[in-house]
Amino acid sequence: MKILCDVSGNTSINFLDFRNLTSNIQENVLFSVTIKCVNGGGVFFPYPGRARLLYSLHISDCILSGFRSEIRDFSIDSISDDIRYFSLKDSIVLNSISDLNASVDPREVTKAFECGTLNAIEITESNLTDYFTDLLSIPFSQDTVMEKNVDYHRKNSDTSFRCKFPNLRYLDKSFSIGFDRQQLNKQFQNFLYPAVEVMNFSHCGITEIPVQIYDWGLFSKKLKIVDFTHNRISDLGSFTCHSNDNVTGDIFDLRFNNITTVKARSLITIFRDICSQLTINIRNNPFVCDCEIKDLFDVFRRGIYPNISRYRYLLDLTCSNPPSVRGQTISHLSLPEIGCDGTVSKTYLKGPIIGLCCLAFVFSICIIIGVRYKKEIVILAYTRLHILLPCQQYETDDNKKYDAFIAYSQADIHWVINTLAKRLETPETGPKFSLCLHHRDFMVGAAISDNIVRSVENSRHTIIVVSKRFLKSEWCLLEFRTALHQSLLEKKRHLIILLLEDIPTSDFEPELRSCMQTLTYVKSSDCWFWDKLIYALSDWSRKMKM
């Protein structure tokens, strides 16, 4: 049975009237309710609109009151959740400060309010604006109220309810301004939407891609489209694809963001990965056409990757900067136009050049001799003699809870606990460190991926214990990519790679192999293993904990 309600002017309807109606109906009937408002029409609507026999609910362009009125009424959880199609968009939500404070502690919030419509096939919660009715009664601004409440909720959140949406196919959170990093990451947990096909997060003010989405298809095998258009993302990052159930083609839409650089190394993984159907769309971004895109030309010219044909659109992108090439197509530019022509004729005096070359040669020899043994001298001076040489850079991370998060395969737990952790946490001599370990420090009841992100962010370093078992574990590789992302984010030496055994280079996945080639790593068989590891972990600006 369909119910259509047009609410106009200063009139308002009460959703509770519909709930009372359906509570007394004995017939086997389902209701589809559509409410449209014009000229300020209102609805008293306790989210998420729980009522018997309600199959479909669509509310648009309304002023919603009572949104949090049932947030602590746990009797609402007993009402059957029959909604399959839920749409709430283009509306204003009236709140008070007391309403907002009532939702601070999730232990006192109903499952219905915490999770919403758990059995839905489609959920749209788009372009909802919070309006506070009692801001004039408090001595600070609305922005301050929101920031304080969101910050408190983030620090004290301990979700009691496991929100699972087993039937959800379509999720629309567009125009949801104010997604913080933790809220956004929660949307991509592997336990939330196992069957989702389309996710829309356009116009949300998002500044970075959640780390979970880089493992495309891992947390949802049916995922087809993720819409991140019209946000403020500036870094494309590096994707790793996994096989999924979709054979028609997947799309990750990043149009209309702030991506300025098209780096070949960010796309090579996609070009050669097993997920041959994924297409990342980065059209309509303010690209800077400089010498860095020369590498992109070279990749397409070689054409050695199987998936490269679907990305030839990159050569047809237009430049936003520098002004000299603005509006021009990338593929039409010459090397001199993008600043890659280094041939400039100049005249030099032969004598001074020869003298400078000789001086540079002698200076280079001295540098090579000094650098050859510099690292060994610096490490031993610090670990054995407790001397910090003045040439070392100081780094601080006083707000971090742990010195290091240990990422390892469960098969290596004996070595990690009895050798690595024992030596670092309870040494006989030298500095001691605070470690974060899976079995001991992960938050009980939280998603594994949430624990991983939280542990990496709360640690000064992440030690990746690489073994053959580690390389076969998807969760271990997710820990590695999260730590790599944190290293790039913090722009410091966050990631420490520990090679537990000799492994052929061909066995490493591309990103880890690249890190092994560019970052210093330590082998457990190295005679200076403990010295190098302790030196890498140490925060030189603070006193060593003895």
Side-chain angles (χ1 to χ4, degrees):
M1 181 178 295
K2 292 184 179 180
I3 299 177
L4 302 178
C5 300
D6 291 325
V7 186
S8 61
N10 295 322
T11 60
S12 178
I13 63 174
N14 194 331
F15 180 83
L16 299 183
D17 293 337
F18 173 78
R19 180 189 293 170
N20 294 333
L21 170 68
T22 59
S23 65
N24 297 318
I25 294 178
Q26 302 299 323
E27 290 80 1
N28 186 16
V29 60
L30 293 176
F31 291 87
S32 175
V33 178
T34 299
I35 303 173
K36 295 182 180 179
C37 300
V38 294
N39 300 326
V43 181
F44 184 86
F45 178 72
Y47 181 84
R50 193 64 64 84
R52 284 186 67 248
L53 307 177
L54 180 58
Y55 180 79
S56 174
L57 177 63
H58 302 273
I59 301 177
S60 60
D61 301 294
C62 296
I63 297 176
L64 305 177
S65 60
F67 198 77
R68 289 178 166 82
S69 60
E70 296 179 343
I71 192 171
R72 293 184 178 179
D73 185 356
F74 288 92
S75 65
I76 302 302
D77 289 338
S78 63
I79 300 176
S80 59
D81 183 8
D82 299 318
I83 297 179
R84 295 297 180 268
Y85 298 91
F86 180 87
S87 178
L88 190 62
K89 63 181 185 178
D90 304 326
S91 297
I92 296 174
V93 180
L94 299 182
N95 289 294
S96 67
I97 300 303
S98 59
D99 289 337
L100 196 61
N101 288 334
S103 61
V104 166
D105 190 346
R107 293 170 298 182
E108 300 179 5
V109 174
T110 65
K111 184 175 182 178
F113 189 89
E114 176 74 16
C115 299
T117 52
L118 292 174
N119 296 316
I121 297 174
E122 295 184 4
I123 295 177
T124 298
E125 295 178 354
S126 172
N127 195 23
L128 302 179
T129 303
D130 283 306
Y131 182 83
F132 290 88
T133 59
D134 55 352
L135 286 179
L136 296 179
S137 63
I138 54 176
F140 35 81
S141 69
Q142 175 178 346
D143 291 339
T144 304
V145 173
M146 292 296 294
E147 289 172 4
K148 287 179 178 292
N149 190 274
V150 170
D151 183 63
Y152 182 89
H153 190 273
R154 180 170 55 247
K155 291 180 179 179
N156 296 276
S157 179
D158 179 18
T159 303
S160 302
F161 306 118
R162 298 294 299 272
C163 304
K164 296 181 180 180
F165 300 79
N167 305 314
L168 190 67
R169 300 292 186 272
Y170 177 85
L171 177 66
D172 184 353
K173 293 281 188 177
S174 58
F175 293 92
S176 298
I177 303 298
F179 262 121
D180 65 14
R181 183 177 181 182
Q182 186 179 23
Q183 290 173 317
L184 184 61
N185 285 337
K186 184 179 179 181
Q187 299 298 318
F188 291 90
Q189 301 300 337
N190 65 324
F191 66 90
L192 281 180
Y193 315 112
V196 70
E197 297 177 4
V198 179
M199 304 181 80
N200 185 356
F201 291 91
S202 62
H203 298 275
C204 289
I206 298 169
T207 58
E208 60 182 85
I209 299 172
V211 293
Q212 293 92 341
I213 205 65
Y214 287 124
D215 287 292
W216 183 275
L218 183 62
F219 71 95
S220 178
K221 298 297 183 180
K222 298 183 181 295
L223 186 61
K224 296 178 181 179
I225 298 174
V226 174
D227 187 349
F228 268 39
T229 59
H230 296 278
N231 283 294
R232 300 198 298 270
I233 297 169
S234 58
D235 184 15
L236 180 59
S238 183
F239 286 75
T240 300
C241 303
H242 301 266
S243 60
N244 59 20
D245 297 339
N246 183 27
V247 294
T248 60
D250 306 319
I251 296 176
F252 185 42
D253 201 342
L254 284 167
R255 292 173 298 154
F256 301 101
N257 276 275
N258 290 333
I259 299 173
T260 59
T261 302
V262 184
K263 296 182 180 179
R265 64 174 178 268
S266 295
L267 296 174
I268 285 176
T269 302
I270 304 169
F271 293 159
R272 65 189 177 192
D273 216 298
I274 62 173
C275 186
S276 59
Q277 297 300 321
L278 174 61
T279 299
I280 298 175
N281 191 348
I282 56 174
R283 294 178 175 89
N284 304 106
N285 276 278
F287 298 107
V288 175
C289 296
D290 54 21
C291 198
E292 285 191 0
I293 65 173
K294 177 180 178 296
D295 295 336
L296 190 65
F297 292 155
D298 294 338
V299 170
F300 281 99
R301 186 171 59 252
R302 291 194 299 270
I304 60 175
Y305 302 109
N307 304 328
I308 200 171
S309 60
R310 287 179 295 106
Y311 287 91
R312 291 196 177 277
Y313 79 85
L314 294 172
L315 297 178
D316 296 326
L317 299 177
T318 57
C319 306
S320 295
N321 281 298
S324 59
V325 295
R326 183 173 297 158
Q328 297 190 41
T329 303
I330 289 179
S331 59
H332 295 168
L333 298 175
S334 63
L335 292 181
E337 287 179 307
I338 60 176
C340 289
D341 185 13
T343 58
V344 181
S345 299
K346 294 183 180 180
T347 303
Y348 296 96
L349 296 175
K350 184 178 293 186
I353 290 178
I354 295 175
L356 287 174
C357 289
C358 293
L359 181 61
F361 177 77
V362 174
F363 183 73
S364 297
I365 294 297
C366 296
I367 291 294
I368 291 172
I369 294 174
V371 171
R372 172 64 182 82
Y373 298 102
K374 174 186 175 181
K375 186 174 181 180
E376 288 81 358
I377 294 173
V378 170
I379 291 176
L380 290 178
Y382 181 78
T383 59
R384 304 295 178 87
L385 303 177
H386 309 305
I387 297 175
L388 179 63
L389 298 183
C391 59
Q392 295 307 114
Q393 181 182 0
Y394 287 75
E395 298 183 3
T396 58
D397 272 319
D398 293 334
N399 61 332
K400 302 290 187 179
K401 183 177 180 180
Y402 304 103
D403 291 306
F405 167 57
I406 312 296
Y408 60 91
S409 167
Q410 192 65 24
D412 302 319
I413 189 171
H414 180 77
W415 184 87
V416 170
I417 294 176
N418 297 311
T419 301
L420 182 65
K422 183 178 180 180
R423 173 64 177 82
L424 295 178
E425 290 187 320
T426 57
E428 294 182 0
T429 59
K432 61 182 178 180
F433 302 94
S434 173
L435 304 180
C436 179
L437 300 172
H438 296 171
H439 69 285
R440 185 184 64 192
D441 301 306
F442 269 17
M443 184 179 294
V444 177
I448 294 176
S449 53
D450 243 359
N451 271 316
I452 291 172
V453 172
R454 187 184 298 109
S455 299
V456 170
E457 291 179 346
N458 288 339
S459 303
R460 296 184 178 88
H461 304 279
T462 295
I463 300 176
I464 305 294
V465 182
V466 181
S467 65
K468 294 179 180 178
R469 285 82 60 188
F470 181 95
L471 298 176
K472 296 178 180 178
S473 170
E474 292 290 356
W475 289 117
C476 290
L477 294 178
L478 177 59
E479 290 174 326
F480 157 71
R481 294 188 188 98
T482 304
L484 177 59
H485 178 76
Q486 190 71 13
S487 294
L488 298 175
L489 184 66
E490 296 182 352
K491 298 180 180 179
K492 61 174 67 173
R493 53 185 188 93
H494 179 88
L495 183 62
I496 299 173
I497 300 176
L498 191 162
L499 199 57
L500 190 58
E501 56 188 325
D502 291 331
I503 304 174
T505 305
S506 59
D507 290 352
F508 291 102
E509 61 101 32
E511 286 180 298
L512 185 54
R513 187 187 306 123
S514 176
C515 286
M516 298 287 287
Q517 293 171 349
T518 57
L519 300 176
T520 302
Y521 61 91
V522 58
K523 294 184 177 181
S524 62
S525 59
D526 192 330
C527 61
W528 284 5
F529 168 73
W530 292 112
D531 294 286
K532 290 181 178 180
L533 183 59
I534 290 172
Y535 180 81
L537 283 173
S538 298
D539 179 0
W540 302 317
S541 66
R542 59 194 180 95
K543 294 182 179 180
M544 291 185 297
K545 297 178 285 187
M546 305 298 287

